Amino acid sequence: MLVSAAAAAAGCSFFYPPTPIKPNCVGISFTKANVHIHPKINGFSSQSDKRNSYFSRRCNPPPSEVAAAVEVHGGIGILDFFAGVNIFVTGATGLLGKVVVEKILRSTSVGKVYLLIKAKDKEAAFDRLNCEILNSELFACLKEKYGNSFGAFVKAKVIAVVGDICEPKLGMDYESIEAIRKDVNVIIHSAACTTFNERYDLIVDTNVIAPQRLMRFAKTCNKLQLFTHISTAYVTERREGVILEEPLMMGGEDGKLDVADEISLILKSSINTIDATNFFKKLGQHRSEMLGWSTTYQLSKAMGEMCVNEIRGDVPLLIIRPASISSCYSEPIPGWIQGMRVMDPVIVSYGKGMIPALYADPHVPFDIIPVDLVANMTIAAIAKHGNTHATMAQPTIYHAASSLQNPLTFFDAFEYLYEYFKEAPLIEGANISRVKFFDDFEEFSKCLRGEIMRHYGANGDRKMVRQCNAKATYVEQLCKMYEFAGFLKPRYHTSNTQKLIEQMSKEEQLNFQVDIRNINWKKYLQEIHVPGLRKYVTN
């Protein structure tokens, strides 16, 4: 059934959240006795071009937020907790891991930060640390803060550890293992394979077996206060209604999922497999659909959660479940992003005039959340639960999602994108029209192909017909891949996040922005996210 933009508007009211909190980046000076926050005042550019307007605000708070230096008291005690704490991080070269590390280094007096980096030797690990992490534009604010002493600061704080989560002993040498066991207080496991339909054997190795390996290592650490596991909200994507922040049960709701059986199936299938890549991709897709998940990624992350909880013993476990992570909202650089995230290929294709129709429900939430809010939530939650000094009977779950607290529907999202790309398409002369929504794939495909053929004037030209069919096939594949998002049934409850916000002091709420309700989605998409995609991804 076709749902026109006008019909969608009739049943889908526009939602304009309050004006967002402005970008904020504070300089922090440390003494042995206390911690003081000093807002930096550098002013703003008055440039109003929607593609650049937010980029000029890097590291600078608006005048309304500038106040005299204040000493932090009360709240969760984020700064107090992180003072001198030693952290072990996996996945620091990825999007979320990188933002978490940057924020901790810039905003706290953390002790040592051990980063597990996949490399052949220490020299190669150091090169990756510099090239992929420290030299990233994301760290420009931190460099600005420390100036000429940046190198000395990094040398004192950051330790690159050669390793691989998929190897025995995490691929680390004896010296590294002993140092981390002796020092580390918090583990943040952010490393994962995020390819939706990766080979089943490879994605299970990375997302299911590797987290167990890390948890077993964590149980040998002398001073460990908290294990933080980065998961995804979509581990429950086939459920309906409001999803509470509760741990997954081993075996799944219907008892069909047996992790040991899945691993055994993979091992047995490895024998005499000629076309391994094709075989294991099909196997993963088959097992996912059979067990109730849309992709091997979501299935593997669900199994990973179950296993980590099952073997943790008395290790306190914190699980963060983000929905679709998107570009930075305010800090350290609005719009900064690394690669295209979940729905970005669809946004980019629309900006090129390739998506006149979409296989999605216009009333379903376009559940995205900026990466800096996820990083801040992770840091604040670590401080809260790492401070308890008590064994958790159950792991604590945090949903990082917008579907309940500040919903942005597919219809509203594509209205905002239409307004933006109509003025500034990604390709000159691209045919940007309002999206027509379909809930029937055959009707969607017929409309899509007809619109593309009409726009490019195929009219019997065989070469042009082939090109148009190729474009249409690509869009169809995109829509099939993201079908779970376009018809998303669950809505993710965020009660733990709301409790976290209530317990944070005003200074903590300002310096570690977590509240998704502060985001104006129209402004975010048009002035931050899409310009960020243009600058950091599509060039």
Side-chain angles (χ1 to χ4, degrees), residues 440-474:
D440 181 276
F441 191 81
E442 290 186 6
E443 291 185 17
F444 153 72
S445 177
K446 182 178 179 181
C447 176
L448 172 70
R449 290 177 178 274
E451 291 287 340
I452 290 177
M453 292 285 186
R454 190 159 39 252
H455 173 65
Y456 288 98
N459 293 331
D461 184 324
R462 291 185 178 180
K463 183 178 180 181
M464 184 59 69
V465 168
R466 284 197 301 270
Q467 291 177 353
C468 289
N469 282 330
K471 291 178 187 292
T473 298
Y474 171 74

Side-chain angles (χ1 to χ4, degrees), residues 285-354:
Q285 291 169 358
H286 170 69
R287 297 304 296 171
S288 300
E289 292 171 4
M290 179 178 175
L291 293 168
W293 281 267
S294 293
T295 68
T296 51
Y297 167 70
Q298 291 149 340
L299 170 59
S300 68
K301 292 297 285 185
M303 289 194 289
E305 265 198 38
M306 294 173 186
C307 290
V308 167
N309 186 28
E310 184 81 5
I311 69 170
R312 70 186 179 91
D314 60 358
V315 174
L317 176 60
L318 171 67
I319 297 176
I320 308 294
R321 290 181 185 162
S324 300
I325 296 178
S326 54
S327 62
C328 289
Y329 170 59
S330 64
E331 61 162 338
I333 305 173
W336 182 87
I337 193 167
Q338 179 173 288
M340 284 198 280
R341 312 314 296 177
V342 178
M343 292 301 296
D344 290 338
V346 177
I347 293 174
V348 169
S349 296
Y350 180 61
K352 293 179 179 179
M354 295 172 60

Side-chain angles (χ1 to χ4, degrees), residues 72-99:
V72 176
H73 291 290
I76 292 173
I78 297 173
L79 298 186
D80 289 340
F81 174 80
F82 278 95
V85 162
N86 300 319
I87 302 174
F88 181 42
V89 182
T90 71
T93 57
L95 174 67
L96 179 57
K98 192 175 293 185
V99 175

